[in-house]
Amino acid sequence: MKFVFTLSICLGFSMFLFAQSSDCYQKTIKSGIAKKKAGDFKGALNLFIAARSCDPKKIVEIDNEIDNLFEVILKLKKEAKDNADKLIIKNGELIETLRKLKVANDSVRTVVRDLQNTLTRVEEEQDKNERIINSFYFYDNRFGLVVQKKGPIDEIKYGYIDKEGELKIDYLYDEATPFDEYDGYALVKRINNEYLLDTLKQEYQLSSDIDNLDKNTNALDLRNNQFSAIPPIVFDQSQLKILLLNRNYLPVLDGRIGNLTALQHLDLGSTTLKTLPQEIEKLKSLKRLNLGNNTDLSLPEQIWRLKQLQHLDLSGVRLKNLPNEIGQLTNLSHLDLGVTGLKSLPEQIGQLRKLKHLDLKNDSISSLPKKIGELKELQFLNLSNNSGLTGLPPEIGALENLRTLDLSGTNISSIPADIGKLKNLQVLYVISVNLGEVPEQITELKNLQGLNLNNGGFSKLSPKLGQLKKLQFLALCGKNLTLIPEQIKQLTRLEILYLGNTELNKIPEELWGLKSLQVLDLGSNKLNQISSKIGELTLLRRLYLTNNKQLTSLPDEIKKLKNLQLLNLKGCSIPYQEVNKIKSWLPNCQIEF
């Protein structure tokens, strides 16, 4: 009787677990399919991969969903490219016609007009192609996960392509994830073995259990294990190249770490580490060292002798200063010094000629050394929330490869004219910086794709803002803004526009011509009506009209926004009956009011 009762409990519990896993699987797959339909390909892929852990028995079904996702992406990309190619051919024909024409001026004008229209359509198709590509996740802008059916039974294999569709890593893997933004590896599986894969195609056989170590294991992931000391067996694994220990409790690092002379990547982030042993110097092959979020860590001089280091994370470590010896780490490409309390940088920072990424957010920097201009390879510079920073040296203009610059939360009163020399800059954040007006130099940054000037204290915008033809993201929220120039209509690639919390009581008609818009925030303004032309923004997915208290209705043309996923009407004065009518028009849209 006891056996029967126990068996029934076990069976009941098993059924409960099955129901739980089934429910998890169904919800995750359903959400992934919804994101795929909405064009959020990155979100869909992440959910399909997550579904594997819900129900491992559904791998075949999941792989089919992933395969279908890539078919959709490649089909859309091919359609856009084919359309652009056809239009380019037509463009060539029109040019040839124009060359041969020796007829009346009216005929010439007609051909010229057709030529201009064709060129516009070419640009639109090329923009569409670019949007499809950018909607997917590419690590380091170079590696995107892709799937292919191979062999007579359509076996699914994973590989990695670049944004041009060129295969960078062959279809070798039975399972795979996108490259991780944090550690730079993809988790892949081949012939029942798991590996960490880097962008150089190097595979590292992975173990996450010290009981499963062997001579072929060269990557060991012991993160989040609540260890208070590194298990002694680890120090016998001289073949290890990757050792991940973050989020354990390791206030003291055993000197035997020096035994692991093949180690290339050591992650000790968030371990409450207080000190490093002198033996750290023996890790001559170390390329990547994460010591972030160890507030009380004292750095020994030996760390500056690790000449092969390429990636050093000291974020969250309290530093009184950065020693001059930092200049010895000439192979560094990534240096994170955010939230360290640093007040200045030594001139030797200029010796890091290979540096591409420098993070100084939430520090106490009051000025930058002139040598900053010698970092010719720098692509990312974060100076946000250094409230003591009041200006930038003119040498900032020498950073010819800079892609991202964040000056948010600083106290700079003006942006130097030299910033106009940053011809490769793609993203500029100047949030909560009282500039008075938008500097003209910003309008010279022709490759800019993202510009955030929220709470900038300016009342108007330069008409030259329309010169930023590649802009996709623009944020101009601020209480003093009263006028939007008509030249905003020239920003035809704009996908995200924030104009909330301004003094605008009317939206310029030109805004409704931005047909690429997907997110539009007009919240906390003084709007009393919305133009019927809003129906022309057919790609719109999110519309925020929050806290426009004088807004009592929306035009019927709102029904044309079939792609709308979210409509926020909180704080408006739109009657309940009106909201219900909008719901009937847009049944797939979440309406908040």
Side-chain angles (χ1 to χ4, degrees):
M1 187 70 180
K2 183 177 179 182
F3 169 76
V4 173
F5 178 70
T6 305
L7 180 61
S8 65
I9 290 176
C10 291
L11 288 171
F13 185 64
S14 298
M15 291 296 291
F16 172 75
L17 289 177
F18 173 78
Q20 288 278 57
S21 64
S22 178
D23 187 50
C24 167
Y25 170 77
Q26 293 296 338
K27 285 182 178 178
T28 307
I29 284 291
K30 186 176 180 181
S31 298
I33 293 171
K35 287 200 177 282
K36 180 181 70 174
K37 288 180 178 178
D40 182 2
F41 301 133
K42 177 183 175 182
L45 179 61
N46 287 337
L47 285 166
F48 291 150
I49 290 172
R52 287 176 178 155
S53 60
C54 293
D55 192 347
K57 295 179 181 178
K58 299 283 188 179
I59 284 178
V60 174
E61 289 91 333
I62 294 167
D63 282 346
N64 286 334
E65 289 291 352
I66 293 173
D67 181 46
N68 179 259
L69 173 66
F70 282 105
E71 286 179 358
V72 170
I73 294 168
L74 295 175
K75 181 181 177 183
L76 288 171
K77 185 176 182 297
K78 184 178 184 301
E79 285 176 358
K81 185 179 184 301
D82 288 348
N83 287 338
D85 289 345
K86 289 176 184 177
L87 289 166
I88 288 169
I89 292 170
K90 184 178 179 181
N91 178 40
E93 292 172 351
L94 286 168
I95 290 173
E96 181 64 17
T97 302
L98 184 61
R99 187 181 66 80
K100 293 179 178 180
L101 266 176
K102 295 179 182 179
V103 292
N105 286 338
D106 287 346
S107 298
V108 174
R109 280 196 293 269
T110 300
V111 174
V112 170
R113 186 176 63 249
D114 288 346
L115 174 59
Q116 290 172 337
N117 290 337
T118 304
L119 286 172
T120 300
R121 290 173 61 196
V122 168
E123 288 183 356
E124 288 174 354
E125 290 297 333
Q126 288 174 336
D127 287 349
K128 180 181 176 183
N129 191 17
E130 189 174 330
R131 282 198 302 272
I132 292 167
I133 293 169
N134 289 338
S135 67
F136 204 58
Y137 170 64
F138 285 84
Y139 174 74
D140 197 27
N141 272 325
R142 295 182 298 148
F143 295 90
L145 182 63
V146 68
V147 67
Q148 184 186 66
K149 288 182 178 178
K150 299 181 73 173
I153 59 172
D154 283 342
E155 184 182 14
I156 286 179
K157 293 290 185 180
Y158 293 87
Y160 297 86
I161 58 172
D162 63 14
K163 286 191 173 184
E164 301 301 319
E166 182 181 344
L167 191 64
K168 306 300 289 185
I169 298 177
D170 206 355
Y171 298 99
L172 299 173
Y173 303 106
D174 305 315
E175 295 180 20
T177 67
F179 279 90
D180 188 274
E181 292 183 10
Y182 173 74
D183 59 29
Y185 300 113
L187 178 61
V188 297
K189 189 173 183 180
R190 179 166 57 85
I191 317 176
N192 296 322
N193 286 323
E194 283 191 332
Y195 301 88
L196 291 181
L197 176 70
D198 67 19
T199 57
L200 298 176
K201 307 181 185 180
Q202 182 68 48
E203 295 176 347
Y204 303 90
Q205 187 166 319
L206 175 67
S207 175
S208 299
D209 187 345
I210 56 174
D211 293 329
N212 291 328
L213 292 172
D214 60 41
K215 63 180 181 180
N216 295 315
T217 303
N218 46 25
L220 180 57
D221 186 353
L222 298 178
R223 291 176 287 189
N224 295 304
N225 271 299
Q226 299 182 338
F227 288 134
S228 57
I230 299 174
I233 191 174
V234 172
F235 302 119
D236 298 329
Q237 311 303 312
S238 58
Q239 79 283 358
L240 278 183
K241 294 183 178 180
I242 299 173
L243 179 57
L244 308 177
L245 293 163
N246 62 319
R247 294 190 293 277
N248 285 292
Y249 179 69
L250 302 171
V252 178
L253 184 62
D254 195 307
R256 286 178 290 176
I257 193 73
N259 295 350
L260 307 180
T261 53
L263 213 56
Q264 296 177 13
H265 181 174
L266 176 60
D267 191 341
L268 291 163
S270 303
T271 55
T272 69
L273 194 63
K274 307 291 184 186
T275 185
L276 290 169
Q278 293 182 359
E279 288 83 355
I280 196 79
E281 187 179 358
K282 295 180 180 180
L283 306 182
K284 302 293 185 183
S285 299
L286 203 61
K287 295 179 180 179
R288 188 179 182 113
L289 178 59
N290 178 15
L291 299 170
N293 296 315
N294 290 302
T295 308
D296 299 321
L297 176 62
S298 176
L299 298 176
E301 61 182 19
Q302 286 81 6
I303 198 173
W304 313 116
R305 298 174 190 161
L306 300 172
K307 301 295 179 64
Q308 297 304 312
L309 272 185
Q310 298 174 11
H311 184 121
L312 178 59
D313 187 347
L314 297 174
S315 60
V317 177
R318 278 201 293 254
L319 299 176
K320 294 180 180 178
N321 56 64
L322 192 64
N324 296 342
E325 286 78 10
I326 186 69
Q328 297 176 14
L329 304 182
T330 54
N331 283 306
L332 272 185
S333 62
H334 183 116
L335 179 58
D336 193 338
L337 297 168
V339 204
T340 60
L342 274 180
K343 295 182 179 179
S344 63
L345 294 175
E347 291 287 336
Q348 286 77 7
I349 197 77
Q351 296 174 21
L352 307 182
R353 304 294 170 81
K354 296 181 181 180
L355 199 63
K356 294 182 178 180
H357 180 111
L358 178 57
D359 196 335
L360 296 164
K361 66 177 177 289
N362 296 84
D363 284 331
S364 301
I365 302 289
S366 57
S367 63
L368 294 177
K370 292 182 179 181
K371 294 289 186 179
I372 196 81
E374 296 185 10
L375 303 179
K376 304 295 186 183
E377 297 298 316
L378 199 65
Q379 297 180 11
F380 176 95
L381 177 58
N382 189 349
L383 295 164
S384 63
N385 298 318
N386 281 277
S387 57
L389 187 63
T390 57
L392 298 174
E395 287 78 9
I396 199 80
L399 303 179
E400 55 196 33
N401 283 303
L402 201 62
R403 304 287 195 276
T404 300
L405 176 60
D406 193 342
L407 300 171
S408 305
T410 62
N411 267 314
I412 58 174
S413 55
S414 64
I415 293 179
D418 301 85
I419 202 169
K421 298 177 182 178
L422 304 179
K423 301 302 182 184
N424 287 306
L425 198 66
Q426 297 177 0
V427 177
L428 176 60
Y429 287 169
V430 196
I431 306 169
S432 300
V433 178
N434 192 3
L435 295 173
E437 61 182 27
V438 180
E440 288 283 323
Q441 293 80 11
I442 288 179
T443 64
E444 299 173 14
L445 304 172
K446 299 300 192 295
N447 282 307
L448 210 58
Q449 298 176 20
L451 176 60
N452 194 327
L453 296 170
N454 278 353
N455 303 318
F458 44 83
S459 59
K460 61 180 181 178
L461 300 171
S462 168
K464 292 183 179 180
L465 193 67
Q467 297 177 7
L468 302 178
K469 300 295 178 62
K470 293 187 178 181
L471 214 56
Q472 298 175 22
F473 170 90
L474 178 60
L476 297 168
C477 303
K479 293 184 177 179
N480 296 329
L481 186 62
T482 58
L483 183 65
I484 304 293
E486 66 177 31
Q487 286 80 3
I488 197 170
K489 66 184 178 184
Q490 299 173 19
L491 306 180
T492 55
R493 296 190 181 188
L494 205 59
E495 297 180 4
I496 301 173
L497 177 59
Y498 288 104
L499 285 173
N501 199 31
T502 71
E503 292 294 312
L504 294 173
N505 53 31
K506 185 180 179 182
I507 301 300
E509 290 295 303
E510 290 78 13
L511 186 144
W512 309 116
L514 300 176
K515 303 296 176 59
S516 296
L517 274 183
Q518 297 181 28
V519 178
L520 177 59
D521 185 352
L522 299 171
S524 299
N525 286 304
K526 297 182 177 179
L527 305 177
N528 54 28
Q529 64 177 359
I530 298 294
S531 170
S532 60
K533 290 186 178 180
I534 194 171
E536 298 178 15
L537 304 182
T538 55
L539 295 179
L540 209 59
R541 295 181 183 177
R542 292 175 175 265
L543 176 59
Y544 299 89
L545 298 170
T546 323
N547 295 324
N548 281 286
K549 297 179 181 178
Q550 300 175 50
L551 193 61
T552 58
S553 65
L554 295 180
D556 288 358
E557 285 75 10
I558 198 83
K559 69 173 69 172
K560 296 180 180 179
L561 305 183
K562 299 301 183 183
N563 288 309
L564 202 62
Q565 299 172 6
L566 174 65
L567 173 60
N568 195 324
L569 300 172
K570 289 182 179 179
C572 297
S573 300
I574 298 177
Y576 186 74
Q577 295 84 350
E578 177 87 2
V579 174
N580 277 340
K581 182 172 68 173
I582 298 170
K583 284 183 177 180
S584 68
W585 289 338
L586 303 171
N588 297 320
C589 178
Q590 177 185 344
I591 301 177
E592 299 180 357
F593 63 99

